[in-house]
Amino acid sequence: MARKKKTVDMDRDNGIAPGLVAKTKKRLVVAGGRSHPALTAAVAASLGTEVVPTEHRTFASGEIYARFDVSIRGCDLFLIQTFGEPVNEWLMEALIMIDAAKRASAKRITVVAPYYPYSRQDKKGRGREPISARLVADLLKTAGADRVMSVDLHAAQIQGFFDGPVDHLFAKPVLLDYFQRTLSAEDRKILTVVSPDMGRVRVADTWSDSLGAPLAIIHKRRDPKVANQVSVHEIVGAVEGRTCLLVDDMIDTGGTIVKAAQALKANGAHRVIVAATHAIFSDPASERLQDASIDEVVITDTIPLTESRRWDKLTILPIAPLLARAIHEVFEDGSVTSMFGGDA
């Protein structure tokens, strides 16, 4: 009996290389650490699947243990771990989970880090300083990560720190949709988009174009020797009698944003609304952001917030649908860039 010949999949007319068709199919699986289980579950639900059962332990000595309860051999694993407080514990847990996945023969490991840790340490501002954002990228790669996905990196050049594909997502569509639905016609007429510093001018400019509103810029000076200390100097642009939308990538202690809002109100702003992607909210951010100069704060849930850090004028938007769509595009070899009009 003659042996059946293997068929060759060849489509030279469309520029596709010849090859053999495998019997196995790709399998997308979603796993997560303990930093934000609600977000991991929401992403899995948006994709129509469930989170991989995983055993997590922290021993009395502080050592972390992680084990996948089911086989992930040959899977396309998306590991969701954000890096709020305590950032170092969650980073170590992510590295251990990546190592476990690599040793469990996962075919590809994508680290989905909605908030990238140490992202503000992306360059040397003074002599003898580390570039910790690069160190984190090296750690992820060494542990076994093949790809990284993150939202609103503090600086775009962080993409170049990782030796592999990086999907840089933007929360702007999520935030923009909210303001297009909720801003009154009167607010739209007198709206001004404000950049809290020179580093966010490019992002604020895209917001200005999307909302059809003028742009203003706040010039600030930060003392390199004193963390989280900012002094606002001057405002470039007209804000008197305007509804000002302050856009930023993150809020840590809230000092920068509150001083910016106070400066806007001192210069005659009618209302001040703050929009940010990452709510780090280190103490005493929650108390500061309830300042009379701020009328509303709108953030996404890239970082979990306890009830004690929430208040009436805080609006939290879900980021899970955006992450799920990006994961689907990566898994299906689609285009993440198309999600953002070619900007990603």
Side-chain angles (χ1 to χ4, degrees):
M1 181 177 176
R3 295 178 63 185
K4 187 177 180 180
K5 293 183 179 180
K6 294 182 179 180
T7 58
V8 177
D9 178 26
M10 192 181 306
D11 190 352
R12 291 179 178 170
D13 292 339
N14 291 323
I16 298 175
L20 299 177
V21 180
K23 293 181 180 180
T24 58
K25 296 181 180 180
K26 290 203 300 181
R27 186 176 183 84
L28 185 159
V29 297
V30 176
R34 292 175 291 179
S35 65
H36 202 342
L39 178 61
T40 304
V43 171
S46 295
L47 288 166
T49 185
E50 297 179 2
V51 180
V52 174
T54 309
E55 180 183 356
H56 294 280
R57 290 189 217 162
T58 300
F59 295 108
S61 64
E63 292 184 1
I64 295 171
Y65 171 87
R67 177 184 179 272
F68 299 100
D69 291 338
V70 292
S71 174
I72 56 171
R73 183 182 297 275
C75 292
D76 201 341
L77 176 72
F78 291 85
L79 174 61
I80 301 174
Q81 181 83 314
T82 197
F83 296 95
E85 185 182 353
V87 58
N88 297 320
E89 182 173 345
W90 299 146
L91 178 57
M92 193 66 207
E93 182 178 76
L95 296 173
I96 289 171
M97 292 186 71
I98 294 168
D99 186 72
K102 178 180 66 176
R103 297 178 189 282
S105 300
K107 186 175 183 180
R108 181 172 66 169
I109 303 168
T110 300
V111 176
V112 182
Y115 172 61
Y116 187 91
Y118 291 89
S119 59
R120 284 171 286 182
Q121 298 183 41
D122 61 332
K123 60 184 179 297
K124 287 180 65 176
R126 303 166 65 204
R128 301 179 297 281
E129 284 186 342
I131 303 180
S132 303
R134 169 59 192 264
L135 174 62
V136 169
D138 289 342
L139 289 170
L140 295 174
K141 184 67 177 180
T142 301
D146 300 293
R147 191 182 194 106
V148 172
M149 182 181 293
S150 192
V151 182
D152 282 341
L153 291 169
H154 188 63
Q157 66 262 26
I158 292 175
Q159 297 173 82
F161 293 170
F162 185 77
D163 188 18
V166 176
D167 299 296
H168 186 196
L169 312 182
F170 303 110
K172 179 186 168 186
V174 178
L175 294 162
L176 189 63
D177 175 70
Y178 172 80
F179 290 117
Q180 288 174 333
R181 288 186 289 105
T182 59
L183 283 176
S184 66
E186 181 61 29
D187 279 333
R188 293 293 294 271
K189 288 179 182 178
I190 59 173
L191 184 66
T192 293
V193 176
V194 182
S195 172
D197 55 48
M198 297 302 295
R200 301 299 293 173
V201 170
R202 182 177 177 275
V203 173
D205 193 40
T206 65
W207 276 82
S208 176
D209 290 340
S210 298
L211 291 169
L215 175 67
I217 304 166
I218 295 178
H219 173 67
K220 71 177 184 180
R221 188 178 299 275
R222 186 188 297 272
D223 186 345
K225 297 181 180 180
V226 183
N228 303 117
Q229 292 294 319
V230 173
S231 58
V232 175
H233 285 264
E234 61 182 14
I235 298 172
V236 181
V239 298
E240 185 175 357
R242 310 284 295 181
T243 294
C244 295
L245 177 60
L246 263 169
V247 294
D248 210 347
D249 62 326
M250 67 177 72
I251 302 175
D252 190 356
T253 61
T256 299
I257 287 294
V258 171
K259 287 190 175 183
Q262 290 171 345
L264 291 170
K265 283 291 180 75
N267 281 267
H270 172 60
R271 294 182 68 212
V272 176
I273 303 170
V274 174
T277 303
H278 308 298
I280 302 173
F281 284 10
S282 302
D283 289 332
S286 296
E287 290 74 17
R288 284 177 172 174
L289 292 168
Q290 296 179 57
D291 189 87
S293 62
I294 299 177
D295 296 279
E296 184 182 9
V297 178
V298 183
I299 58 170
T300 71
D301 62 349
T302 57
I303 297 174
L305 278 182
T306 59
E307 288 298 326
S308 63
R309 293 183 177 180
R310 304 185 184 200
W311 65 97
D312 291 341
K313 293 184 179 180
L314 177 69
T315 301
I316 304 175
L317 305 178
I319 202 69
L322 179 78
L323 293 173
R325 184 181 170 192
I327 288 171
H328 182 268
E329 291 295 338
V330 169
F331 178 69
E332 294 288 348
D333 298 322
S335 172
V336 174
T337 301
S338 64
M339 296 171 54
F340 307 99
D343 293 331

